[in-house]
């Protein structure tokens, strides 16, 4: 049996896929290590959404291979970059053994077993499996059994049919496929039995869950039907989801926040740009006015809603005027936080061939400027918490200082405080004493 090192790049969905792989490897008798030098098997679960993420994984692989020297280590790329580059990776890196795409994570344990045996027998072995597979969305369902884990990710669908012109995801993750409500609910019940108190439902376009598979019932979308079903799981305290698209964010979902108390007050709602011309070229199918109207509807139903977003700067053709419109929309919404990305050309996407690509230095300038604006808003949104009590779910030791504990508010703000381990997994109030913008510090009130 082998010792396996897995490193994950990119989004929460990738983290979730890596967990599935780790669990299947453990079930097959392998062990997982956090120390790369100890490993017989090295798996990098990759991200393709920007070039930088691909370059990091390629660099890491090169470095690990060089370090291994003559030691018989098996090397594999999994996930999005494996999917989009396929066999080409093997041509570039002949020592690679596994290239496993996004619909084949459930085969990794089998391939690892074969590759490991071949290495021991000193036989050359490599496999590329980037096929599509019907119902592969139903294979991401097993979890590691961590003691003291409080919050878990649950993949409810795979793929995306939107084809935003900058985005590689539809090509790496395939078309939209959703899992049945009953299977998702069973998975969450199992998690709650193990002590999980909060789930985050994951999908590339999560609010359109089930649109091709399941009917609307009395005007209620399949996603809201799912939220209602998950809400009924006893012992579950909080429900989050990420990421929705402003398109299809309808009344039934806005109202769900009013009647499902476990649904917490946080929405990550990607804006991408505040310029209608750019939004159109991105094929986002909404205008800034529609986005702002949606934010208004959400806030009039749920005034405490924390709203975070994704912004791309330097999309092809983005003029100074377009950029200023993005700044203006950010000021109009006042996001609690935002991820700002410099546009990165992705192969086979329409935007990669558009004229008027923006220079790297201008992207850098706008990125820098926008980060300041976004940070200012984060601070302003966090300030009102100081002096107040906030309900938090305690997740465990603080990542920056293991002597302290951390939890999150319903609006997803991180709160750090002192306390004993018995508080992990509990919901309670913390009196907030100060804020750095991203993190709140306070005193537990129990
Ligand atoms: N709907 C998905 C989006 C996946 S990509 C989700 O679940 O989050 C995450 C973010 O990366 C996007 O919202 C977008 O802001 C950014 N992004 C995607 N493609 C990009 C590109 N080519 N260059 C820069 N940023 C990109
Ligand atoms: Fe990508 Fe747009 Fe789908 S950002 S994941 S194509 S909604």
């Amino acid at each position: 049996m082998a010792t396996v090192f897995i490193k994950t790049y990119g989004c929460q969905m990738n983290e979730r896929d890596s967990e599935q792989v780790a669990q299947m490897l453990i079930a097959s008798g392998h062990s997982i290590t956090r120390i790369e030098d100890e490993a017989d098997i090295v798996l990098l679960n990759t991200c393709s959404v920007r070039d930088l993420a691909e370059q990091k994984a390629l660099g890491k692989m090169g470095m690990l291979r060089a370090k291994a020297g003559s030691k018989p280590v098996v090397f594999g790329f999994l996930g999005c970059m494996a999917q989009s580059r396929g066999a080409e990776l093997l041509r570039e890196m002949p020592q690679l053994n596994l290239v496993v795409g996004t619909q084949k994570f459930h085969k990794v344990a089998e391939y690892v077993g074969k590759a490991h045996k071949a290495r021991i027998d000193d036989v050359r072995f490599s496999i590329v499996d980037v096929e599509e597979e019907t119902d592969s969305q139903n294979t991401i369902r097993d979890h590691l059994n961590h003691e003291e884990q409080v919050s878990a990710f649950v993949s409810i669908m795979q793929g995306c049919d939107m084809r935003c012109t900058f985005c590689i995801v539809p090509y790496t993750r395939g078309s939209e496929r959703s899992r049945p409500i009953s299977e998702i609910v069973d998975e969450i019940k199992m998690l709650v039995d193990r002590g999980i108190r909060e789930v985050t439902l994951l999908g590339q376009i999560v609010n359109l869950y089930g649109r091709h598979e399941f009917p609307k019932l009395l005007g209620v979308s399949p996603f809201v039907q799912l939220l209602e079903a998950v809400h009924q799981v006893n012992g579950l305290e909080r429900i989050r989801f990420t990421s929705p698209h402003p398109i299809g964010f309808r009344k039934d979902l806005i109202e769900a926040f009013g009647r499902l108390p476990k649904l917490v007050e946080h929405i990550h709602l990607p804006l991408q740009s505040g310029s209608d011309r750019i939004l159109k070229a991105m094929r986002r199918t909404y205008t800034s006015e529609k986005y702002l109207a949606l934010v208004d509807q959400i806030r009039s139903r749920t005034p405490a809603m924390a709203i975070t977003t994704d912004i791309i700067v330097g999309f092809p053709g983005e003029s100074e005027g377009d950029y200023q419109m993005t700044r203006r929309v950010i000021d109009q919404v006042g996001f609690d936080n935002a991820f700002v990305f410099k546009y990165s050309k992705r192969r086979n996407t329409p935007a990669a061939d558009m004229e008027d690509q923006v220079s790297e230095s201008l992207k850098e300038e706008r990125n820098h400027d926008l980060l300041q604006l976004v940070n200012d808003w984060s601070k302003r949104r966090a300030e009102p918490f100081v002096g107040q009590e906030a309900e938090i779910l305690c997740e465990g030791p603080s990542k920056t200082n293991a002597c302290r504990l951390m939890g999150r508010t319903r609006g997803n703000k991180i709160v750090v405080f002192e306390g004993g381990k018995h508080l992990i997994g509990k919901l309670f109030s913390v009196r907030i004493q100060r804020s750095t913008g991203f993190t709140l510090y306070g005193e537990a009130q129990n």
Side-chain angles (χ1 to χ4, degrees):
M1 290 297 117
T3 304
V4 188
F5 171 76
I6 306 176
K7 184 170 170 63
T8 308
Y9 296 85
C11 65
Q12 291 142 320
M13 198 159 257
N14 282 14
E15 279 181 44
R16 179 68 195 102
D17 295 336
S18 292
E19 183 182 23
Q20 177 70 41
V21 168
Q23 174 54 33
M24 291 184 92
L25 287 166
I26 290 170
S28 317
H30 303 292
S31 61
I32 304 291
T33 177
R34 283 167 194 268
I35 303 161
E36 54 194 42
D37 298 339
E38 276 182 359
D40 310 310
I41 318 273
V42 167
L43 302 176
L44 302 187
N45 189 9
T46 56
C47 170
S48 284
V49 89
R50 282 168 294 279
D51 187 52
L52 189 66
E54 291 202 355
Q55 294 311 324
K56 274 191 195 162
L58 289 166
K60 182 82 182 173
M61 187 60 91
M63 194 269 285
L64 288 170
R65 264 183 26 223
K67 252 199 337 190
S70 58
K71 206 177 143 202
V73 179
V74 170
F75 292 101
F77 277 126
L78 316 180
C80 287
M81 186 175 68
Q83 187 71 43
S84 70
R85 297 201 182 196
E88 167 196 325
L89 284 167
L90 214 60
R91 284 192 291 274
E92 283 164 17
M93 293 190 170
Q95 299 93 324
L96 206 59
N97 306 102
L98 307 176
V99 178
V100 184
T102 53
Q103 308 203 17
K104 296 291 182 180
F105 287 112
H106 59 291
K107 300 280 247 180
V108 170
E110 178 191 327
Y111 297 151
V112 159
K114 286 183 178 159
H116 188 51
K117 184 167 183 311
R119 264 296 151 105
I120 291 168
D121 299 344
D122 206 15
V123 199
R124 252 210 76 61
F125 180 91
S126 65
I127 190 159
V128 177
D129 189 356
V130 293
E131 295 296 301
E132 289 183 14
E133 185 177 314
T134 314
D135 291 338
S136 61
Q137 74 274 22
N138 297 327
T139 62
I140 308 297
R141 56 172 184 222
D142 301 317
H143 292 256
L144 291 169
N145 198 353
H146 285 308
E147 268 176 47
E148 293 187 346
Q149 190 187 344
V150 173
S151 185
F153 294 139
V154 175
S155 277
I156 65 167
M157 64 188 298
Q158 291 287 335
C160 182
D161 293 344
M162 288 303 282
R163 294 180 191 267
C164 303
T165 55
F166 53 80
C167 186
I168 200 172
V169 170
Y171 310 96
T172 60
R173 289 272 170 184
S175 53
E176 281 168 32
R177 292 110 55 214
S178 296
R179 300 174 61 198
I181 291 183
S182 60
E183 285 186 22
I184 298 167
V185 169
D186 284 348
E187 180 175 331
I188 294 174
K189 282 184 178 157
M190 182 277 297
L191 288 168
V192 169
D193 284 344
R194 288 184 184 177
I196 295 295
R197 293 286 164 262
E198 173 186 270
V199 291
T200 304
L201 308 177
L202 299 179
Q204 297 295 347
I205 181 149
V206 77
N207 53 324
L208 296 186
Y209 163 84
R211 66 166 159 165
H212 301 312
E213 291 92 350
F214 314 121
K216 273 192 169 182
L217 294 176
L218 302 167
V220 175
S221 61
F223 183 58
V224 174
Q225 294 170 36
L226 172 67
L227 291 176
E228 288 170 353
V230 172
H231 197 268
Q232 284 178 16
V233 175
N234 285 330
L236 183 69
E237 304 276 5
R238 288 179 170 186
I239 305 169
R240 301 183 182 279
F241 58 82
T242 199
S243 295
H245 194 296
I247 289 299
F249 206 112
R250 297 202 203 288
K251 226 170 137 193
D252 62 333
L253 180 52
I254 296 170
E255 285 174 353
F257 282 92
R259 63 190 170 85
L260 303 177
K262 294 178 184 177
L263 200 53
V264 295
E265 291 80 19
H266 172 222
I267 299 175
H268 184 72
L269 192 63
L271 166 68
Q272 313 299 4
S273 169
S275 153
D276 292 345
R277 205 172 64 84
I278 297 295
L279 285 170
K280 191 155 185 224
M282 288 176 161
R283 212 185 284 148
R284 288 294 288 182
T285 63
Y286 53 85
T287 58
S288 57
E289 195 186 339
K290 274 202 175 148
Y291 186 95
L292 289 166
L294 176 58
V295 168
D296 277 350
Q297 285 166 32
I298 291 169
R299 285 193 172 142
S300 58
R301 187 77 202 67
T302 312
M305 189 71 80
I307 303 180
T308 56
T309 200
D310 292 341
I311 308 276
I312 297 177
V313 292
F315 183 84
E318 185 185 68
S319 66
E320 182 58 27
D322 294 316
Y323 174 65
Q324 290 303 330
M325 287 184 213
T326 298
R327 279 186 119 265
R328 201 172 322 142
V329 175
I330 291 176
D331 275 331
Q332 276 168 295
V333 177
F335 291 104
D336 287 77
N337 203 353
F339 297 115
V340 181
F341 304 111
K342 288 180 276 182
Y343 169 71
S344 168
K345 265 188 178 185
R346 307 318 293 133
R347 62 161 74 181
N348 301 326
T349 59
D353 299 325
M354 288 180 186
E355 284 171 17
D356 294 334
Q357 296 284 331
V358 174
S359 71
E360 278 311 310
S361 59
L362 194 52
K363 285 184 205 170
E364 191 57 57
E365 208 176 286
R366 290 179 181 166
N367 181 59
H368 183 76
D369 178 59
L370 220 51
L371 280 177
Q372 266 180 337
L373 184 65
V374 163
N375 289 349
D376 287 348
W377 271 110
S378 286
K379 287 203 177 110
R380 277 159 80 172
R381 290 287 181 201
E383 209 45 51
F385 284 87
V386 176
Q388 304 290 318
E389 285 190 11
E391 184 199 80
I392 66 118
L393 174 62
C394 181
E395 292 180 20
S398 156
K399 301 216 162 54
T400 48
N401 178 352
C403 299
R404 290 188 287 191
L405 294 172
M406 67 77 69
R408 282 170 206 267
T409 65
R410 289 173 62 93
N412 210 30
K413 295 214 166 17
I414 292 176
V415 180
V416 173
F417 53 94
E418 312 243 329
K421 274 197 152 187
H422 64 282
L423 293 177
I424 297 172
K426 303 247 159 59
L427 278 173
F428 50 88
S429 285
V430 174
R431 177 163 288 278
I432 307 302
Q433 292 159 328
R434 64 191 174 91
S435 135
T436 61
F438 296 109
T439 310
L440 304 172
Y441 295 85
E443 199 180 323
Q445 300 294 296
N446 58 349

